[in-house]
Amino acid sequence: MRIRYGYRLALECNVPTPSSFAIDVHPDRRGDVVVESPIVMRTQDGRNVLHARALDLFGNVRRRAVLPPGRTVIEHHGVIADSGAHEPVVMTARQVPVADLPEEAMGFLLPSRYCESDLLGPEAWSRFAGVPEGWPRVQAICDFVHTHIRFGYGFADNTRTASGGLRDGRGVCRDFAHLAITLCRAMNIPARYCTGYLGDIGVPHDPAPMDFSAWFEAYLDGRWYSFDARHNIPRIGRIVMARGRDAADVPIVSTFGPHGLAVFEVWTEELGAERAAA
């Protein structure tokens, strides 16, 4: 299967504004990219905005630029190869004892900006201590979060933490991910936040405008597995862009000064066989 993906963003600034972006396909999917455009940043009158590429502490690609006053348009698109298979469900995947975890996973047990696992520990243990460890426990956490939080774009709040999501019972995809991550960590299961593309492949089409998506990965049986408490079913064609402790580590756009978001378009869809051949 081949999947078409891309975005078009436009930011408006009043003064020169240092900015950072997580807008590349993650390095571990680079080998699957069939074709892609360069990432273009340009002013409204067509002048290119210089930007640099680097890897952050989590191995994500970051783009850095100083946006000039006025509107800057940022565009990128490509085609990526995908297996077309649903994400695996491995009910026998075991929870790794903390003493046996590799160092790379240990940091994803700790509380973070949006995932206060130290505060929600009693809540987690009261709800999930009786569920078998490993995959069944992570799935039970997803089931709870899926039913507890009501999704709506109007519920977005970039200051809401996991405890806020638990309290409010509403949010967007990042709130589902934050609460599930927090409950996993409280149960000694390493969990990390992911952001990227998720199209309506193999599921009914969502008529709402497309957005980047958030989900999480849990460390079980020596590897990371994808879980999605918002949709709560295995999906096809997830394309990760960045991973971190929570959304604070992987914002699509970070500006060190005020800006306005003038355009936000995201697309990801399966290409037909005849279109892919072209």
Side-chain angles (χ1 to χ4, degrees):
M1 172 188 293
R2 292 187 175 189
I3 299 170
R4 170 182 172 265
Y5 64 89
Y7 55 80
R8 183 173 187 267
L9 315 176
L11 279 64
E12 294 184 343
C13 302
N14 293 325
V15 297
T17 304
S19 306
S20 176
F21 305 88
I23 50 178
D24 287 69
V25 171
H26 194 274
D28 70 7
R29 291 299 306 269
R30 292 299 310 163
D32 298 325
V33 174
V34 178
V35 63
E36 64 178 348
S37 72
I39 290 179
V40 174
M41 298 187 189
R42 66 177 186 275
T43 61
Q44 199 164 12
D45 60 4
R47 290 176 290 116
N48 288 330
V49 176
L50 296 179
H51 54 94
R53 179 187 184 278
L55 296 181
D56 67 15
L57 294 175
F58 300 95
N60 306 306
V61 177
R62 305 293 306 192
R63 301 277 173 168
R64 293 179 59 182
V66 176
L67 303 185
R71 178 174 293 194
T72 300
V73 177
I74 305 160
E75 294 181 299
H76 178 62
H77 59 85
V79 174
I80 193 167
D82 191 84
S83 69
H86 286 87
E87 293 160 334
V89 176
V90 186
M91 294 301 295
T92 57
R94 300 166 299 171
Q95 184 168 330
V96 179
V98 172
D100 297 333
L101 285 170
E103 196 61 33
E104 69 166 71
M106 289 295 292
F108 296 103
L109 283 178
L110 303 177
S112 57
R113 165 69 177 84
Y114 291 104
C115 298
E116 323 102 300
S117 50
D118 50 346
L119 298 182
L120 294 190
E123 177 79 20
W125 283 96
S126 68
R127 289 185 179 276
F128 306 111
V131 179
E133 291 187 348
W135 194 286
R137 184 171 283 180
V138 179
Q139 186 58 58
I141 288 170
C142 288
D143 293 343
F144 166 72
V145 174
H146 179 74
T147 57
H148 182 76
I149 295 182
R150 181 162 60 99
F151 178 84
Y153 289 110
F155 300 147
D157 179 350
N158 64 5
T159 67
R160 183 185 292 119
T161 65
S163 60
L166 180 66
R167 179 193 64 241
D168 298 344
R170 62 184 187 178
V172 291
C173 56
R174 62 180 267 161
D175 297 295
F176 287 79
H178 283 152
L179 182 53
I181 288 169
T182 302
L183 296 172
C184 283
R185 290 179 186 172
M187 303 300 293
N188 295 327
I189 302 167
R192 62 190 186 185
Y193 183 93
C194 304
T195 185
Y197 298 92
L198 179 61
D200 300 325
I201 300 174
V203 298
H205 174 69
D206 186 342
M210 192 166 289
D211 196 353
F212 291 117
S213 188
W215 63 93
F216 76 101
E217 293 173 346
Y219 190 83
L220 298 170
D221 238 354
R223 59 161 288 186
W224 295 96
Y225 288 96
S226 293
F227 290 87
D228 188 337
R230 180 198 165 189
H231 298 101
N232 209 29
I233 57 172
R235 295 291 293 263
I236 298 170
R238 210 180 289 273
I239 305 172
V240 67
M241 295 166 67
R243 299 183 178 98
R245 293 165 298 187
D246 58 32
D249 289 331
V250 293
I252 300 299
V253 177
S254 296
T255 62
F256 300 87
H259 76 273
L261 183 62
V263 176
F264 184 84
E265 299 174 4
V266 178
W267 57 87
T268 176
E269 60 187 0
E270 179 184 2
L271 286 175
E274 72 289 345
R275 190 170 174 183

